[in-house]
Amino acid sequence: MSDKVSNFILALNILLHCGHAQDAVLTIESNWSTFFTGESVTFICDIWAGKDDNWYYAIWKDGQEFLRYNPNKRYTLQPLVTGHSGQYQCRGYLKSQPDVKRESNKVSLTLSDEPQPVLTVSPLWLSPGDSVTLNCNVTHPSAGWRFYWYKAVPKPGDNSYSYERLPGSTSGTEQDSYIVHGQTHTAGYRCRAGRGDPVFYTDYSKPKFVWSGDVHSAASLTVSPDRAQHFINQLVSLSCEGNSTKWRVMMFYESGSLRDCTIWGTMTGSTCNINRIWISGVHWCESETGQFSNAVNITKQYNIILVSPVHPVAEGHPVTFGCRSRTEKVLHDVDFYKNDKLIKYHTNGELIITAVSKSDEGFYRCEGKESPEDSWSWMSKESWTSQEKTRI
């Protein structure tokens, strides 16, 4: 007998042996083994002997019968709950001879809680002509997800949002990123993911915002006093202007929370007045017609503030920084820092940049030294340091 024939017979014997061990094969229709509560899963039981309609099918879970005598080899389990996790096996019973049965392989099914997608946006602050990149991160990112993208629209009459799908994402995108080209104004976004047929959707992500400091937008926010830093318990007014009759002022806390003026101030007409302790954050206006204003980053201080413009400074324009105590006294003998690096030492109280350029962008702070008014000589001087930084 030739080697070729011998090898063929050997291969055939191996196939027959394997086939005997796998008279039935259980598969899951989807291409993933981890599912989430609320989804559905379809089991398919294939029997190699005879026609499909010659058999009754049963599904076993963890060694116990789960579904009896199903005439269809496909079975869909929905909605999934945590208790559905386990090992599944199918068995086929020949209709004409119920004692004849076939057992399949075992398939593991893992259930997790419904995923919460996380949206990130970049950049957070817009420059003219910027494109905004949205990224939607979901647990098990390679498991058949499609991604859906939305922009926030302020709801008239309350402090929430409705969401409109962004162009090109009606049926979802395979990529977990989406680029918004030419974004020029403050905007909010969120995402969710879906997979399967019928589609199982995750919850929506928490909204994320990108902010523009452009004061030439259709709506604008002004701050009084007109500066980026303010003392705690100082009255600060945020006023909205634009083509709308109703406004709300929103604030994004450093902790990641989103609140409207009524939580931390008093809204009178189109002005939000803050007259108590408040938290640093980004502020902007929203109108009932869906307009977003420029955004401003305002910080609080206890002892000393850096007097700096609340709005971005245009390239080529001058800017002057100063230092002021909590009694509103202008401080002299001041040190100025940029990105925590000392840039001007023992000044007369001012830092002047005659023509702002790209290289001047950064975070600035000041340190002022002043003796108590009625102190005696040799008494050590108190050193006050601005704990917040300002961005230009």
Side-chain angles (χ1 to χ4, degrees):
M1 186 180 296
S2 69
D3 291 340
K4 184 180 293 187
V5 174
S6 298
N7 290 338
F8 173 77
I9 293 175
L10 178 60
L12 182 60
N13 286 332
I14 292 174
L15 287 172
L16 289 173
H17 177 74
C18 292
H20 179 72
Q22 294 285 303
D23 288 331
V25 175
L26 177 66
T27 56
I28 294 177
E29 190 170 54
S30 304
N31 293 324
W32 49 88
S33 59
T34 299
F35 290 78
F36 296 95
T37 54
E39 277 193 287
S40 63
V41 61
T42 298
F43 296 105
I44 304 172
C45 188
D46 285 307
I47 309 291
W48 297 125
K51 297 180 180 180
D52 293 341
D53 57 5
N54 289 342
W55 299 88
Y56 285 115
Y57 302 87
I59 301 292
W60 287 62
K61 175 181 178 289
D62 297 330
Q64 296 183 349
E65 195 170 54
F66 184 76
L67 176 70
R68 297 189 66 189
Y69 296 108
N70 181 17
N72 194 329
K73 71 174 186 177
R74 299 169 62 91
Y75 175 70
T76 300
L77 179 60
Q78 64 178 357
L80 293 173
V81 297
T82 304
H84 285 146
S85 291
Q87 279 201 330
Y88 289 82
Q89 184 182 41
C90 76
R91 294 184 182 181
Y93 299 90
L94 193 62
K95 290 180 179 179
S96 60
Q97 301 179 52
D99 291 338
V100 177
K101 65 179 181 180
R102 299 289 186 267
E103 293 186 359
S104 77
N105 56 302
K106 294 180 180 180
V107 174
S108 294
L109 186 68
T110 303
L111 265 294
S112 297
D113 291 333
E114 188 173 343
Q116 176 66 49
V118 176
L119 177 67
T120 56
V121 297
S122 180
L124 289 176
W125 285 91
L126 296 171
S127 296
D130 273 350
S131 292
V132 177
T133 300
L134 313 179
N135 286 98
C136 196
N137 184 22
V138 181
T139 308
H140 306 292
S142 63
W145 295 111
R146 294 186 69 85
F147 298 89
Y148 302 83
W149 311 91
Y150 305 83
K151 66 176 180 179
V153 179
K155 278 188 179 180
D158 64 28
N159 295 318
S160 63
Y161 298 93
S162 60
Y163 289 87
E164 296 179 357
R165 278 189 180 171
L166 290 170
S169 69
T170 301
S171 57
T173 63
E174 292 184 1
Q175 295 77 26
D176 61 358
S177 62
Y178 183 98
I179 298 177
V180 181
H181 296 283
Q183 180 67 45
T184 59
H185 58 271
T186 297
Y189 300 98
R190 71 175 179 177
C191 70
R192 67 173 173 171
R195 68 181 186 180
D197 184 18
V199 179
F200 164 80
Y201 293 101
T202 68
D203 284 339
Y204 291 95
S205 69
K206 292 181 180 179
K208 291 289 185 178
F209 286 82
V210 293
W211 299 295
S212 171
D214 183 13
V215 295
H216 304 295
S217 56
S220 63
L221 171 64
T222 57
V223 182
S224 179
D226 185 16
R227 61 193 187 211
Q229 292 189 352
H230 301 268
F231 292 107
I232 198 165
N233 291 326
Q234 180 183 41
L235 174 64
V236 179
S237 296
L238 309 175
S239 299
C240 305
E241 297 179 3
N243 186 23
S244 181
T245 57
K246 189 174 182 180
W247 295 92
R248 69 187 185 201
V249 177
M250 302 300 293
M251 175 180 178
F252 184 81
Y253 291 91
E254 291 176 337
S255 64
S257 300
L258 183 66
R259 297 288 186 270
D260 72 283
C261 171
T262 59
I263 303 298
W264 39 269
T266 303
M267 196 75 190
T268 305
S270 60
T271 299
C272 175
N273 294 303
I274 308 168
N275 54 7
R276 60 177 184 267
I277 294 177
W278 55 289
I279 300 175
S280 303
V282 180
H283 302 69
W284 67 92
C285 299
E286 296 175 355
S287 76
E288 61 180 357
T289 56
Q291 294 175 314
F292 289 81
S293 77
N294 59 301
V296 295
N297 191 15
I298 299 176
T299 58
K300 65 175 183 178
Q301 283 286 44
Y302 287 90
N303 293 323
I304 187 173
I305 61 172
L306 177 69
V307 180
S308 60
V310 69
H311 300 297
V313 181
E315 191 166 5
H317 287 219
V319 63
T320 299
F321 295 106
C323 234
R324 188 172 295 182
S325 72
R326 59 188 167 190
T327 60
E328 292 291 341
K329 182 176 181 179
V330 175
L331 299 181
H332 301 284
D333 192 11
V334 173
D335 302 335
F336 286 95
Y337 294 78
K338 176 189 173 185
N339 298 330
D340 280 333
K341 182 179 180 181
L342 181 65
I343 58 174
K344 203 164 185 181
Y345 180 63
H346 283 319
T347 68
N348 62 356
E350 288 186 341
L351 171 64
I352 300 174
I353 302 175
T354 56
V356 169
S357 65
K358 185 73 174 177
S359 62
D360 293 314
E361 285 187 338
F363 294 93
Y364 292 76
R365 66 182 176 91
C366 64
E367 288 185 0
K369 300 178 178 66
E370 182 180 274
S371 298
E373 292 180 358
D374 55 354
S375 64
W376 296 88
S377 60
W378 299 110
M379 181 176 284
S380 62
K381 298 178 181 181
E382 183 179 16
S383 177
W384 293 338
T385 303
S386 168
Q387 299 300 314
E388 302 293 339
K389 302 173 183 180
T390 193
R391 173 184 182 272
I392 65 169

Coordinates of all heavy atoms in Angstrom, one line a residue, residues 5-6 14 55 61 91 130 135 157 160 208 219 222 232 252 290 295 327 336 361:
V5 N -1.8 6.5 0.2 CA -3.0 5.8 0.6 C -3.1 5.6 2.1 O -4.1 5.8 2.7 CB -3.2 4.5 -0.2 CG1 -4.4 3.7 0.3 CG2 -3.3 4.8 -1.7
S6 N -1.9 5.2 2.6 CA -1.8 4.9 4.1 C -2.2 6.2 4.9 O -2.9 6.2 5.8 CB -0.5 4.4 4.5 OG -0.2 3.2 3.8
I14 N -8.8 9.4 11.8 CA -8.8 10.5 12.7 C -10.1 11.3 12.6 O -10.7 11.7 13.6 CB -7.5 11.4 12.5 CG1 -6.3 10.6 12.9 CG2 -7.6 12.6 13.3 CD1 -5.0 11.3 12.5
W55 N -34.9 15.5 14.5 CA -34.4 15.6 15.9 C -35.3 16.6 16.7 O -35.8 17.6 16.2 CB -33.0 16.0 15.9 CG -32.0 15.1 15.2 CD1 -31.7 15.1 13.9 CD2 -31.4 14.0 15.8 NE1 -30.8 14.1 13.6 CE2 -30.6 13.4 14.7 CE3 -31.3 13.4 17.0 CZ2 -29.8 12.3 14.9 CZ3 -30.5 12.3 17.3 CH2 -29.8 11.8 16.2
K61 N -27.6 23.4 30.9 CA -26.8 24.4 31.5 C -26.2 23.9 32.8 O -26.9 23.5 33.7 CB -27.6 25.7 31.8 CG -26.8 26.8 32.5 CD -27.7 28.0 32.8 CE -27.0 29.1 33.6 NZ -26.8 28.7 35.0
R91 N -28.3 18.7 23.3 CA -28.5 17.3 23.1 C -29.6 17.1 22.1 O -30.6 17.8 22.1 CB -28.9 16.6 24.4 CG -27.7 16.6 25.5 CD -28.1 15.8 26.7 NE -27.1 15.9 27.7 CZ -27.1 15.3 28.9 NH1 -28.2 14.5 29.2 NH2 -26.1 15.4 29.7
D130 N -9.9 74.5 14.6 CA -9.6 73.2 15.2 C -10.7 72.1 14.8 O -11.8 72.5 14.5 CB -9.7 73.3 16.8 CG -8.4 73.6 17.4 OD1 -7.4 73.6 16.6 OD2 -8.4 73.9 18.6
N135 N -13.8 60.2 21.2 CA -13.5 58.8 21.4 C -14.5 58.1 22.4 O -14.7 58.7 23.5 CB -12.0 58.6 21.9 CG -11.0 58.8 20.9 OD1 -10.5 59.9 20.8 ND2 -10.7 57.9 20.0
G157 N -37.1 75.2 29.0 CA -38.0 75.0 30.2 C -37.4 74.2 31.3 O -37.9 74.1 32.3
S160 N -31.9 70.3 31.3 CA -31.3 69.1 30.7 C -31.1 69.4 29.2 O -31.2 70.5 28.7 CB -32.2 67.9 30.9 OG -33.5 68.1 30.2
K208 N -19.8 65.3 27.4 CA -18.5 66.0 27.5 C -18.6 67.3 26.6 O -19.3 67.3 25.6 CB -17.4 65.1 27.0 CG -17.1 63.9 27.9 CD -16.4 64.4 29.2 CE -16.0 63.2 30.0 NZ -15.3 63.6 31.2
A219 N -23.7 84.0 20.7 CA -24.0 84.3 22.1 C -22.7 84.6 22.8 O -21.6 84.1 22.4 CB -24.7 83.2 22.7
T222 N -20.3 87.6 29.6 CA -19.4 88.6 30.2 C -19.4 88.4 31.7 O -20.3 87.9 32.3 CB -19.9 90.0 29.9 OG1 -21.2 90.2 30.3 CG2 -19.8 90.3 28.4
I232 N -13.2 84.4 47.3 CA -14.3 83.6 47.8 C -15.2 84.6 48.5 O -14.8 85.6 49.2 CB -13.8 82.5 48.7 CG1 -14.8 81.5 48.9 CG2 -13.3 83.1 50.1 CD1 -14.3 80.2 49.5
F252 N -19.2 73.8 34.7 CA -18.5 72.5 34.8 C -17.5 72.6 35.9 O -16.5 73.3 35.7 CB -17.9 72.2 33.4 CG -17.3 70.8 33.4 CD1 -18.1 69.7 33.2 CD2 -15.9 70.6 33.6 CE1 -17.5 68.4 33.1 CE2 -15.4 69.3 33.5 CZ -16.2 68.2 33.3
G290 N -31.0 77.0 21.5 CA -29.9 76.1 21.3 C -28.5 76.8 21.1 O -27.6 76.1 20.6
A295 N -16.9 80.4 26.4 CA -16.8 79.8 27.8 C -15.6 80.6 28.5 O -14.7 81.0 27.8 CB -16.5 78.3 27.7
T327 N -8.1 92.4 50.3 CA -8.7 93.7 50.6 C -8.7 94.6 49.4 O -9.0 95.8 49.4 CB -7.9 94.4 51.7 OG1 -6.5 94.6 51.2 CG2 -7.8 93.6 53.0
F336 N 6.5 86.8 39.4 CA 5.5 86.2 38.5 C 6.2 84.9 37.9 O 7.4 84.8 37.7 CB 5.2 87.1 37.3 CG 4.3 88.2 37.7 CD1 4.8 89.5 38.0 CD2 2.9 88.1 37.7 CE1 4.0 90.5 38.4 CE2 2.1 89.1 38.0 CZ 2.6 90.3 38.4
E361 N 1.6 81.3 25.5 CA 0.5 80.5 26.1 C 1.1 79.7 27.3 O 2.2 79.3 27.3 CB 0.0 79.5 25.1 CG -0.9 80.2 24.0 CD -1.6 79.1 23.1 OE1 -1.0 78.0 23.0 OE2 -2.6 79.4 22.5

